[in-house]
């Protein structure tokens, strides 16, 4: 009936390296408020604990802290691109791991350098089975790289991941699982969100990832390495999601 209220879309949230379900939920509070009534964000924790020393509380709440003491930058931004972990990041998790001797997990890591991806794919499949259905994915940083891998898996016919679209925030082309992407462009609809001041995942790397997709939507913002949710981004999210509201 025309007066019947449409149910909101359901998004599966995939956090960044060194975060977890709780911290990602707290850091996306502004986004969840912006999407209220249109989309519900349900986050899950990655299955792998980040190795190394316990995180030291920092002052980067809401800005996607991606550093562990002694591990340096968890991204390709170079020595100056360091972030502190917030107190919410106790029990830091990740979707795959670098080799123990490596101090960084960069956007250019090779498959031989990483471990744990298959377990993470099983964990995401379990989230679909236990908490679904989900209409789309929303991934941030390493979680955005995973979301892109899931889009490729979906295109290849993997029935474990029944979703329609993905929002990819600060994504990069991971080589954690060769071949990580289909040889042909990926037809899953995507919105790629790039921070012009992102020193952890520079926007050029996010654009390289977007180039793997058919007609990707691109949203840029002036900030750094976090999930933006101010008025301009809110409009872009809602315009993208409107395509999938039934």
């Amino acid at each position: 009936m025309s007066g019947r209220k449409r149910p909101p879309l359901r998004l599966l949230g995939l956090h960044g390296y060194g975060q977890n379900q709780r911290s990602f939920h707290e850091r996306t509070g502004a986004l969840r408020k912006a999407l209220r009534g249109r989309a519900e964000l349900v986050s899950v924790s990655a299955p792998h604990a980040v190795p190394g020393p316990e995180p030291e509380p920092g002052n980067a709440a809401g800005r996607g802290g991606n550093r562990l003491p002694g591990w340096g930058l968890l991204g390709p931004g170079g020595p100056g691109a360091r972030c502190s972990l917030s107190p919410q990041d106790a029990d830091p998790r990740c979707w795959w791991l670098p080799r123990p001797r490596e101090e960084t997990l960069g956007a250019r890591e090779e498959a031989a350098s990483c471990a744990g991806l298959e377990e993470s794919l099983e964990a995401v499949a379990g989230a679909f089975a236990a908490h679904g259905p989900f209409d789309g994915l929303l991934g941030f940083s390493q979680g955005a790289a995973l979301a892109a891998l899931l889009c490729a898996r979906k295109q290849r016919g993997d029935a474990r991941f029944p979703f329609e679209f993905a929002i990819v925030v600060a994504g990069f082309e991971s080589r954690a699982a060769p071949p990580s992407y289909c040889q042909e462009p990926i037809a899953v609809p995507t919105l790629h969100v790039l921070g012009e001041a992102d020193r952890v995942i520079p926007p050029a790397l996010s654009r390289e990832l977007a180039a793997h997709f058919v007609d990707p939507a691109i949203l840029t913002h002036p900030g750094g390495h976090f999930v933006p949710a101010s008025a301009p981004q809110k409009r872009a999210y809602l315009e993208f999601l409107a395509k999938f509201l039934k």
Side-chain angles (χ1 to χ4, degrees), residues 94-109:
C94 62
W95 300 105
W96 57 83
L97 295 152
R99 288 181 298 189
R101 291 184 180 181
E102 293 182 352
E103 291 187 351
T104 65
L105 185 70
R108 299 295 189 180
E109 82 278 64

Side-chain angles (χ1 to χ4, degrees), residues 77-99:
R82 293 181 176 269
C83 304
S84 298
L85 286 163
S86 72
Q88 296 95 329
D89 287 314
D91 186 29
R93 314 296 291 182
C94 62
W95 300 105
W96 57 83
L97 295 152
R99 288 181 298 189

Side-chain angles (χ1 to χ4, degrees):
M1 297 177 61
S2 59
R4 191 174 182 179
K5 186 177 180 180
R6 293 177 298 187
L9 298 169
R10 302 189 76 238
L11 308 179
L12 178 61
L14 306 172
H15 61 75
Y17 188 102
Q19 299 177 345
N20 55 47
Q21 182 274 335
R22 177 188 172 190
S23 65
F24 193 59
H25 179 82
E26 294 184 5
R27 291 177 175 185
T28 54
L31 175 65
R32 289 185 287 106
K33 181 179 179 181
L35 301 182
R36 187 172 298 162
R38 307 288 186 87
E40 174 190 10
L41 180 61
V42 179
S43 301
V44 293
S45 287
H48 306 294
V50 171
E54 287 297 313
E56 296 174 352
N59 58 3
R63 291 295 180 268
N66 270 2
R67 183 173 70 87
L68 292 180
W71 277 70
L73 174 68
L74 300 176
R82 293 181 176 269
C83 304
S84 298
L85 286 163
S86 72
Q88 296 95 329
D89 287 314
D91 186 29
R93 314 296 291 182
C94 62
W95 300 105
W96 57 83
L97 295 152
R99 288 181 298 189
R101 291 184 180 181
E102 293 182 352
E103 291 187 351
T104 65
L105 185 70
R108 299 295 189 180
E109 82 278 64
E110 297 295 336
S113 303
C114 302
L117 177 61
E118 289 302 320
E119 292 87 345
S120 290
L121 293 174
E122 288 296 329
V124 173
F128 270 92
H131 306 297
F134 293 105
D135 300 285
L137 306 175
L138 189 150
F140 170 68
S141 197
Q142 194 190 50
L146 177 62
L149 287 167
L150 292 169
C151 289
R153 292 282 183 129
K154 172 181 170 61
Q155 176 150 303
R156 292 200 295 265
D158 194 326
R160 296 177 297 170
F161 308 115
F163 62 94
E164 296 183 63
F165 61 87
I167 298 175
V168 182
V169 184
F172 58 89
E173 179 183 351
S174 174
R175 296 187 175 91
S180 55
Y181 300 100
C182 297
Q183 293 183 351
E184 70 277 8
I186 302 170
V188 177
T190 48
L191 171 63
H192 297 259
V193 184
L194 294 63
E196 295 175 349
D198 193 337
R199 298 175 63 196
V200 179
I201 304 296
L205 294 182
S206 296
R207 292 186 185 276
E208 288 180 11
L209 174 63
H212 285 278
F213 291 82
V214 175
D215 195 23
I218 306 292
L219 169 62
T220 61
H221 66 93
H225 196 63
F226 59 91
V227 181
S230 61
Q233 293 90 52
K234 176 182 176 180
R235 287 193 298 269
Y237 293 135
L238 294 180
E239 287 176 5
F240 178 76
L241 293 174
K243 305 173 186 177
F244 309 98
L245 285 167
K246 299 179 177 63

